[in-house]
Amino acid sequence: MPLSEKLKCYALETLLKTTVNLPSRQGLSAQTLRKLITPASKLLPIDTSLQFKSLTLAGLPCEEIKHPYEKPTQLIFHIHGGAFFLGGLESHRGLMCDLVKYTKAQVIHIDYPLAPEKPFPYALNALFAAYVHMLQQGIQPKDITLSGDSCGGNLALALCLKLRDEKMPLPSGLILMSPWLDLSMSGESIRLNEKQDALLSPHALHQGVEYYITDDVSIDESYVSPLFANLHDLPEMLIQVGSKEILLDDAKRLKEYADKAGIKATLSIFPEMWHNFHMFNHWIAAGKHALLDIARFIDYTDK
C-alpha cells in the first residue's frame, strides 16, 4: 500500500474511532446514538447529478436512484446496515449513489422498521412484503440483485431464505458487504479484531442483539442468524469483508458453508480494511476496488 494511501487510511480510522466506534461503546440509548451518528453520515458525498425519487413499497418509504439519461437493465434492492437499530435512507444515500455510478444499475433502498421499536421479525416481514410488491409491479426477479451491508447483509440473506421457503422467485444475485450473519457472535474475529476495526465495536453488536431479539426468539433461528441456515437453492453470492473487521469470521464461514451447500459464492477479503469500508471509497482505493467487483458481479448475473 503506497504511503499516501496508508496516511489516508490512518486518518479515516482515527476519525471513525472517535466519531462512531467510541460513542457506540458508551452505553448510550438507540435514540441518542441515532442523533450522534446519523448526522456524521451526511458528510459522505452525494452525486446530485443522479435522479432521486421518493416512493413506497408495501407502505414503506423507499428511494430510487438512477442515472437520468440511461435505461438500466438491473435493479439493486439494497438493505442498509446499522446493527438493526441505526441507519436509514439518509445514512446510506452516499453509498447508494456510488453503487449507481459504478454499476449503472437502478438502486432502490428502503427505510425498514428498526429495533427496539420494532424487533424481529418486523424488518424481515416488511422487506419480504416490499420485494413481493416489486414483483407485483412487473419487475422480473432475474433483473433484481439483492444487496445489504452489515446487518443489512443479515436481512438480505434471511430474505432470500424466506423467499425460497415461501416458494417465491429469487433475485439473480446476492451481494453481502461486511455482513453480520451470526447474532450469537461466536466468531473469533470479534475478539481478535476488536482493537483493529475502526468502525464497529462488539458493544454495538451486543446492543443490536438486545434490541432486535425478544425473549421468545432463538438466536440461532435461521432467519435471525442466517449463517446457520440450510443454504440450498440460493442465488450466487458475492461476499466482501475487510481483514480488520470484527465480522471477518462471519464472511469466511458463510463462504465455507455455501461451498458445502453447492452454492456458488465469491469471498473477497480486503487487506487492512475495517467494517463497511465501501462507504469511504471516495478516499481509499480498496473501496473503489470493491465497487468495481460489485459492478462486474452485476454484469455477470445480468447475462
Side-chain angles (χ1 to χ4, degrees):
M1 184 185 295
L3 179 59
S4 60
E5 186 74 8
K6 288 182 179 180
L7 289 173
K8 284 189 287 185
C9 287
Y10 176 77
L12 274 171
E13 286 181 289
T14 301
L15 178 64
L16 291 171
K17 286 178 180 179
T18 303
T19 60
V20 180
N21 192 302
L22 180 60
S24 76
R25 291 187 277 113
Q26 304 308 306
L28 303 174
S29 69
Q31 292 76 15
T32 301
L33 284 172
R34 289 168 188 167
K35 291 177 181 177
L36 287 174
I37 293 176
T38 300
S41 64
K42 294 181 181 179
L43 299 175
L44 299 174
I46 294 173
D47 188 347
T48 56
S49 70
L50 299 177
Q51 181 177 306
F52 300 82
K53 181 181 179 181
S54 296
L55 48 87
T56 59
L57 289 172
L60 293 176
C62 306
E63 184 174 53
E64 174 194 78
I65 307 174
K66 61 182 180 180
H67 285 277
Y69 305 115
E70 295 186 18
K71 189 172 182 180
T73 60
Q74 275 287 308
L75 185 154
I76 299 175
F77 184 69
H78 186 83
I79 305 171
H80 71 77
F84 300 106
F85 69 96
L86 298 169
L89 300 181
E90 288 189 353
S91 66
H92 282 65
R93 186 170 288 123
L95 178 60
M96 298 303 98
C97 290
D98 300 329
L99 281 176
V100 172
K101 174 184 173 183
Y102 277 82
T103 66
K104 310 301 181 187
Q106 169 191 4
V107 169
I108 291 179
H109 62 136
I110 187 166
D111 220 355
Y112 60 85
L114 299 177
E117 295 87 350
K118 298 291 184 181
F120 176 86
Y122 279 95
L124 179 59
N125 289 342
L127 292 164
F128 180 86
Y131 182 92
V132 171
H133 191 180
M134 286 196 302
L135 298 183
Q136 291 171 343
Q137 289 183 334
I139 299 174
Q140 298 299 309
K142 68 179 181 63
D143 297 328
I144 301 173
T145 300
L146 188 59
S147 74
D149 66 277
S150 193
C151 77
N154 176 305
L155 289 166
L157 182 53
L159 176 56
C160 270
L161 293 169
K162 185 173 176 64
L163 290 167
R164 180 202 65 192
D165 295 345
E166 298 288 338
K167 295 181 170 47
M168 297 295 294
L170 295 171
S172 63
L174 182 59
I175 299 169
L176 304 175
M177 310 176 198
S178 301
W180 180 20
L181 307 170
D182 171 15
L183 269 62
S184 71
M185 293 179 282
S186 62
E188 278 293 299
S189 58
I190 291 182
R191 177 179 59 85
L192 297 176
N193 281 351
E194 179 177 359
K195 295 182 179 179
Q196 301 297 319
D197 197 325
L199 192 145
L200 187 60
S201 70
H203 190 284
L205 298 184
H206 284 289
Q207 192 169 4
V209 171
E210 178 185 344
Y211 287 155
Y212 187 59
I213 303 302
T214 53
D215 292 340
D216 60 333
V217 175
S218 173
I219 205 161
D220 58 0
E221 180 180 328
S222 295
Y223 295 162
V224 172
S225 293
L227 179 67
F228 305 123
N230 189 326
L231 303 176
H232 71 88
D233 297 326
L234 292 186
E236 183 171 346
M237 305 178 192
L238 173 64
I239 312 160
Q240 297 180 327
V241 68
S243 67
K244 288 184 173 182
E245 292 202 40
I246 62 174
L247 297 178
L248 173 62
D249 283 350
D250 281 29
K252 292 168 70 174
R253 287 182 291 170
L254 178 62
K255 165 62 175 171
E256 176 188 348
Y257 299 160
D259 287 346
K260 289 180 179 179
I263 302 302
K264 189 170 183 181
T266 300
L267 170 64
S268 298
I269 301 175
F270 290 80
E272 302 300 309
M273 287 296 106
W274 55 87
H275 185 67
N276 264 24
F277 64 94
H278 309 72
M279 301 184 81
F280 309 97
N281 66 87
H282 290 264
W283 300 281
I284 54 173
K288 296 179 178 67
H289 294 156
L291 290 172
L292 285 170
D293 286 348
I294 289 173
R296 283 188 280 267
F297 181 79
I298 294 286
D299 287 342
Y300 169 75
T301 57
D302 192 28
K303 293 179 181 178

